[in-house]
Amino acid sequence: MAILWTSLAISILLRQALCRLSYTPVLPPPYPLAVRNPYLSAWLPGNEAWNLPFASAQFWNGLNLTWSVIARVDGQSYSLFGVPSLGPGVQAGVLQRADYTSTHTTFTVTAGAATFVLDFLSPVSPLNYVRQSAPFSYLIVSAAGNNGATPAVQIYSDIDNTWTGQFDEDVQVGWGYSLTNESTSAFTLTPGGTATYSEYNDTGMWGTSVYCARPNNSTLTATVGGLDAVRAQFAANGSLSGPWEWQYASVVAYSQDLGKVGESGTNVTFAIGYWRQSAVDYLGDARTAYFTATCSDPVCGCVHVLEDFAAADAEAHTFDAAIAGKAASVAGANYSDIVTLFVRQAFGATDLTISEDKLDTGDPLVFVKEISSDGNVNTIDVICPMAPGFYVLAPDYLRLLLEPIMRYLATGAWPHDYAVHDLGAAYPNATGHDNGTAEQMPVEECGNLLTLAYMYQLATGDKNWAQQYQGLFQEYADYLIVNGLYPTQQLSSDDGLGDIANQTGLAVKAAIGLNAYGVMTGQRNYSDIGKQFAKTLYDDKAGTDQNRTHFTCSQGKDDSWGMMYNFYPDVLLNLNTFPASAYAMQSSYYPTVRMPGGVPLDSLVDFGKTDWMTFAAATAVAPGVDNVGVRDMFIDDIHAYMANGINTVPFSDKFHLQDNGSFVTGQWSQYKARPLVGGHFAIMALDGPGQSGAGATKSGGNGGDESGWVQITYRRLSSYL
Ligand SMILES: *[C@@H]1O[C@H](CO)[C@@H](O)[C@H](O)[C@H]1NC(C)=O
Ligand SMILES: *[C@@H]1O[C@H](CO)[C@@H](O)[C@H](O)[C@H]1NC(C)=O
Ligand SMILES: *[C@@H]1O[C@H](CO)[C@@H](O)[C@H](O)[C@H]1NC(C)=O
Ligand SMILES: *[C@@H]1O[C@H](CO)[C@@H](O)[C@H](O)[C@H]1NC(C)=O
Ligand SMILES: *[C@@H]1O[C@H](CO)[C@@H](O)[C@H](O)[C@H]1NC(C)=O
Ligand SMILES: *[C@@H]1O[C@H](CO)[C@@H](O)[C@H](O)[C@H]1NC(C)=O
Ligand SMILES: *[C@@H]1O[C@H](CO)[C@@H](O)[C@H](O)[C@H]1NC(C)=O
Ligand SMILES: *[C@@H]1O[C@H](CO)[C@@H](O)[C@H](O)[C@H]1NC(C)=O
Ligand SMILES: *[C@@H]1O[C@H](CO)[C@@H](O)[C@H](O)[C@H]1NC(C)=O
Ligand SMILES: *[C@@H]1O[C@H](CO)[C@@H](O)[C@H](O)[C@H]1NC(C)=O
Ligand SMILES: *[C@@H]1O[C@H](CO)[C@@H](O)[C@H](O)[C@H]1NC(C)=O
Ligand SMILES: *[C@@H]1O[C@H](CO)[C@@H](O)[C@H](O)[C@H]1NC(C)=O
């Protein structure tokens, strides 16, 4: 009984706390904090935000990361973030509001006579290759006096070995401290004896964690020592002086004394990084971040990113406003809330690399980790759902992601006559599958590859790239001619459903892939075969029920149905493989099979996938279909799931659509932080591709022509501001 009353009291307190707070635009499942690449991926569960002073940052898989911010206001210390147990005399700040945009997560916390804003900025800058690939994220702490007060403020922040893939308190890590030219401080933490490219539960074990700071009209002190003692020292003194010794349960820590702060506020900025000199093993060649051509060590990295802060922040504000504005104008505020939350998640699964040996910036390649589902490298049926995000923001990324796959296939080492599923089973080892035993999705990946190649060509006008691999593309098109209409028992992208024969969705993919290949290469006969497939599936009802009310899940099974997300590229690329009436039919069918939480993936399951829902939503507004009601049904279902407050893991694209005894409606399923959320751009993408790299600088850097290239880069987006 006592327990019951206690938990009731807590839940009432919790509800009161939640009500007083403002979450803008919504309370998301997780807040991205520092999300830049598969190994720099720190989040805060949404339901912990109200409790920010005590809440711990987490790696995407839930492992706690020590990262704290404590402020001292007129001599009284307040935890602002990341202090699960307060030291003696330390109080907790009070969260007032939490906000997110495409690149920023900001928390406003009051403490004594001051108000603090903790602004976690993870830039997404796809056309500025240096900035995009810098393995760093920013934390800006701003302090202002309340109501005319001018309190004396010091700010403290620390991290520990958890950022190095080492979670024991008695772990030995090598620490370093550099003070460059009196202005930038850099702490480094490097574990000993770990193998290059090795992971512990998906965290990187072979890199170096970096924490950087510089004074900004403030006095910076730093130290290394036991967590409790160092925090107590700050609480007592507002500065750090020692012991400069890594011992049991240690942290590396900064204090910034801001002096008296007024109403207008004072800001200090930290940068947190994870440095992998060898970032990805691509067929035996080490790839490093593109950024390494600018900075060859983490300390230089600190100086660079702190110098670049003002420009990166300015770009981020332009970028955020452009994305939110365009999404809202295309499909309303709910769509904007969705798209903006997932930009960091999508780009944060990628690494933009160059050869570590040659540092050849003319040969960038992008790698993506199939986060949480299996860790595969450059899975083609992950690139496919992500593709709309790249199409809108940086179509060149389609080539940069496909190029490593095509180079591998061109070596001839992959022994099959259909496309490979991925470049390696375990990121960051892109070592290929020379013995041919990768996950097999023959029709799925052949169709995806042809469609993606054409998507890139259409968006950029670059016809040369596909030309180089013409022989391979033709081989896969020929494979689809023979195997695409009635696929043998095999997996599709939704491999959890198992092997099914004659999947209608795969036949649709083959039809559109063949047409895309025909248009891409000017070979009409391939397009004609694709359209013939479409005619068989739709006009001749091989892929529909006999009354032609819907497309089936497998051909011949009239009472089955499937979500035909594979139609989407036909609409996006204006291929007209299927007639608009096919899309109109299928779109108007979806509301009839909707469950309480949304439309399932197919008639066999009671879960949905938000990437495919967005593809279906976009197809519903194809020219001649114009079913805005169905588009909005999908958007609102995704929005309701995203904002329902019951999920806390980095957003899963898969979720439950009805209460079934084990799960409730709107509960996440199985996956975390997957990059497929790039697919949420599908509706926006219908408005045309973004700028390709040709018009943008790839050098980026400190100031200079930033405003110029931001204008060019986001020209299309900005027209919606
Ligand atoms: C992670 O941190 C939270 C505080 O946010 C704490 O409640 C939880 O016990 C920690 N988990 C582990 C395994 O330390
Ligand atoms: C201080 O940082 C906050 C949060 O990033 C920002 O809103 C504000 O504009 C900054 N102030 C100045 C003067 O740069
Ligand atoms: C030293 O810091 C100043 C800014 O305080 C910066 O302009 C300069 O480039 C830095 N020099 C080096 C070598 O990092
Ligand atoms: C990648 O391969 C290396 C050996 O080259 C191995 O030590 C490492 O554990 C592998 N990484 C993963 C994530 O499997
Ligand atoms: C980490 O990995 C170990 C061994 O694979 C596993 O037992 C453990 O549950 C994992 N922990 C987390 C938090 O993922
Ligand atoms: C520090 O403050 C002085 C005087 O208020 C101002 O002129 C200067 O620009 C400030 N420096 C920085 C780095 O903000
Ligand atoms: C505060 O600073 C003084 C002088 O540096 C030092 O002697 C003292 O130990 C510090 N207090 C704590 C709690 O570390
Ligand atoms: C330094 O402080 C000024 C004034 O508060 C602010 O505009 C600027 O953004 C701060 N710089 C950093 C790197 O935080
Ligand atoms: C194929 O190679 C992978 C490693 O790349 C290995 O795990 C697997 O056992 C091999 N399969 C066969 C059949 O040799
Ligand atoms: C697939 O459909 C075709 C055409 O209806 C049929 O001939 C074939 O037997 C089916 N395959 C399987 C495995 O059911
Ligand atoms: C197909 O349509 C006919 C005529 O409207 C109807 O009688 C029949 O029940 C329908 N069949 C199914 C399976 O819905
Ligand atoms: C936005 O989505 C919510 C569900 O989160 C829904 O209740 C609301 O009606 C939607 N708003 C609009 C304007 O469609």
Side-chain angles (χ1 to χ4, degrees):
M1 201 58 173
I3 292 170
L4 191 68
W5 280 111
T6 309
S7 65
L8 189 64
I10 289 172
S11 78
I12 289 169
L13 282 173
L14 178 63
R15 188 144 0 112
Q16 284 170 346
L18 291 173
C19 288
R20 202 176 56 234
L21 287 169
S22 143
Y23 296 105
T24 306
V26 299
L27 176 64
Y31 283 99
L33 298 180
V35 178
R36 296 301 316 274
N37 64 49
Y39 301 100
L40 183 58
S41 185
W43 304 74
L44 185 85
N47 69 340
E48 295 271 342
W50 70 278
N51 194 31
L52 191 70
F54 299 91
S56 181
Q58 299 183 350
F59 193 67
W60 65 256
N61 63 8
L63 289 167
N64 281 353
L65 300 171
T66 300
W67 191 9
S68 78
V69 179
I70 303 172
R72 205 159 166 272
V73 182
D74 287 331
Q76 169 64 50
S77 290
Y78 297 88
S79 163
L80 305 182
F81 163 55
V83 184
S85 65
L86 304 181
V90 179
Q91 298 181 14
V94 178
L95 185 76
Q96 302 298 331
R97 57 179 299 144
D99 301 75
Y100 71 80
T101 64
S102 291
T103 60
H104 290 266
T105 294
T106 49
F107 299 109
T108 303
V109 185
T110 48
T115 298
F116 296 87
V117 178
L118 274 54
D119 179 354
F120 295 86
L121 164 62
S122 291
V124 175
S125 182
L127 297 189
N128 181 331
Y129 289 3
V130 175
R131 189 175 288 153
Q132 176 59 36
S133 64
F136 290 89
S137 194
Y138 298 102
L139 166 60
I140 305 111
V141 181
S142 84
N146 298 334
N147 307 320
T150 54
V153 170
Q154 296 91 36
I155 290 164
Y156 168 95
S157 186
D158 64 24
I159 67 163
D160 74 1
N161 47 280
T162 50
W163 291 79
T164 68
Q166 314 280 309
F167 292 87
D168 293 336
E169 295 190 319
D170 61 353
V171 72
Q172 284 301 316
V173 297
W175 64 269
Y177 177 74
S178 305
L179 181 58
T180 69
N181 89 9
E182 312 259 76
S183 81
T184 300
S185 293
F187 274 116
T188 56
L189 291 173
T190 312
T194 51
T196 308
Y197 307 125
S198 62
E199 294 180 342
Y200 168 75
N201 288 23
D202 284 288
T203 62
M205 291 182 79
W206 77 101
T208 292
S209 296
V210 201
Y211 203 31
C212 333
R214 70 165 40 162
N216 188 13
N217 272 346
S218 55
T219 305
L220 186 145
T221 54
T223 198
V224 181
L227 177 148
D228 292 333
V230 169
R231 290 181 185 174
Q233 183 183 140
F234 172 76
N237 282 1
S239 63
L240 303 171
S241 55
W244 292 104
E245 197 182 303
W246 186 270
Q247 43 196 234
Y248 182 82
S250 280
V251 291
V252 295
Y254 291 113
S255 166
Q256 296 252 32
D257 187 346
L258 307 183
K260 288 194 177 297
V261 305
E263 223 159 353
S264 63
T266 305
N267 287 8
V268 287
T269 299
F270 302 89
I272 192 161
Y274 187 68
W275 188 271
R276 292 172 290 148
Q277 195 69 31
S278 299
V280 171
D281 176 359
Y282 178 50
L283 305 176
D285 288 331
R287 307 286 300 184
T288 191
Y290 188 97
F291 184 75
T292 310
T294 300
C295 270
S296 59
D297 66 73
V299 177
C300 169
C302 278
V303 174
H304 180 92
V305 297
L306 289 175
E307 290 284 319
D308 191 42
F309 166 71
D313 190 42
E315 184 206 359
H317 283 293
T318 306
F319 180 84
D320 290 351
I323 291 178
K326 178 167 181 180
S329 81
V330 164
N334 274 1
Y335 185 54
S336 176
D337 297 351
I338 294 167
V339 167
T340 52
L341 183 60
F342 300 117
V343 178
R344 282 169 284 179
Q345 180 166 329
F347 280 87
T350 67
D351 278 307
L352 170 58
T353 71
I354 51 176
S355 143
E356 181 184 347
D357 183 27
K358 303 193 196 83
L359 296 182
D360 176 3
T361 54
D363 183 32
L365 297 176
V366 175
F367 295 89
V368 60
K369 181 172 182 176
E370 188 180 339
I371 287 181
S372 97
S373 37
D374 58 18
N376 288 178
V377 187
N378 286 34
T379 307
I380 299 178
D381 64 286
V382 166
I383 297 171
C384 171
M386 293 179 82
F390 297 123
Y391 185 83
V392 170
L393 297 174
D396 279 342
Y397 275 57
L398 297 170
R399 172 176 53 83
L400 299 178
L401 283 155
L402 296 177
E403 174 69 12
I405 299 169
M406 298 313 294
R407 270 186 209 172
Y408 172 61
L409 292 171
T411 65
W414 170 247
H416 302 293
D417 60 353
Y418 50 81
V420 72
H421 171 268
D422 62 74
L423 276 179
Y427 205 89
N429 293 334
T431 44
H433 293 285
D434 294 3
N435 66 12
T437 56
E439 191 169 8
Q440 311 290 335
M441 293 187 188
V443 173
E444 173 76 43
E445 307 304 13
C446 287
N448 287 339
L449 205 47
L450 298 175
T451 307
L452 288 165
Y454 179 55
M455 191 187 292
Y456 165 73
Q457 178 164 317
L458 186 71
T460 61
D462 170 9
K463 296 191 170 164
N464 295 330
W465 180 73
Q467 190 62 41
Q468 315 166 55
Y469 298 113
Q470 161 63 19
L472 282 169
F473 288 132
Q474 175 148 352
E475 183 181 336
Y476 303 142
D478 291 342
Y479 182 88
L480 290 181
I481 290 177
V482 177
N483 301 286
L485 184 56
Y486 301 115
T488 55
Q489 186 170 340
Q490 62 187 278
L491 299 177
S492 74
S493 180
D494 303 295
D495 50 3
L497 300 176
D499 290 4
I500 306 178
N502 278 335
Q503 288 187 54
T504 308
L506 286 179
V508 163
K509 177 156 276 176
I512 295 168
L514 280 167
N515 191 14
Y517 173 75
V519 173
M520 176 170 78
T521 59
Q523 299 183 83
R524 236 196 119 137
N525 48 334
Y526 284 89
S527 288
D528 290 345
I529 295 170
K531 287 180 178 175
Q532 188 57 48
F533 280 18
K535 192 172 169 301
T536 304
L537 290 167
Y538 177 64
D539 297 288
D540 303 342
K541 304 184 189 174
T544 70
D545 63 318
Q546 288 315 296
N547 278 5
R548 229 168 56 180
T549 63
H550 64 273
F551 282 86
T552 54
C553 179
S554 17
Q555 297 176 49
K557 298 209 167 123
D558 273 27
D559 51 358
S560 74
W561 61 268
M563 186 171 286
M564 288 294 121
Y565 53 85
N566 285 322
F567 284 147
Y568 170 68
D570 203 32
V571 177
L572 178 72
L573 308 176
N574 200 20
L575 288 164
N576 298 307
T577 313
F578 287 83
S581 60
Y583 299 148
M585 173 191 84
Q586 185 68 8
S587 298
S588 55
Y589 185 71
Y590 291 133
T592 70
V593 288
R594 187 180 168 278
M595 289 178 173
V599 179
L601 188 57
D602 62 33
S603 49
L604 305 173
V605 300
D606 64 357
F607 62 80
K609 293 272 280 83
T610 62
D611 49 348
W612 301 144
M613 286 175 168
T614 315
F615 277 36
T619 306
V621 290
V625 182
D626 305 314
N627 197 335
V628 173
V630 163
R631 180 197 71 184
D632 290 347
M633 171 192 76
F634 281 116
I635 291 172
D636 292 348
D637 285 343
I638 296 170
H639 192 271
Y641 160 52
M642 179 182 98
N644 67 16
I646 65 174
N647 301 299
T648 61
V649 303
F651 187 83
S652 172
D653 46 291
K654 182 177 172 191
F655 68 109
H656 297 281
L657 302 175
Q658 64 183 4
D659 300 352
N660 66 9
S662 310
F663 303 104
V664 300
T665 305
Q667 191 173 346
W668 72 283
S669 170
Q670 199 172 0
Y671 304 135
K672 299 175 185 174
R674 292 210 306 170
L676 292 80
V677 294
H680 296 157
F681 275 88
I683 300 167
M684 212 153 140
L686 294 180
D687 206 60
Q691 182 78 30
S692 80
T697 170
K698 292 178 185 170
S699 57
N702 309 322
D705 57 350
E706 298 302 335
S707 58
W709 75 259
V710 168
Q711 290 309 317
I712 298 165
T713 306
Y714 305 117
R715 184 168 45 83
R716 290 195 57 87
L717 294 177
S718 300
S719 64
Y720 288 84
L721 287 174

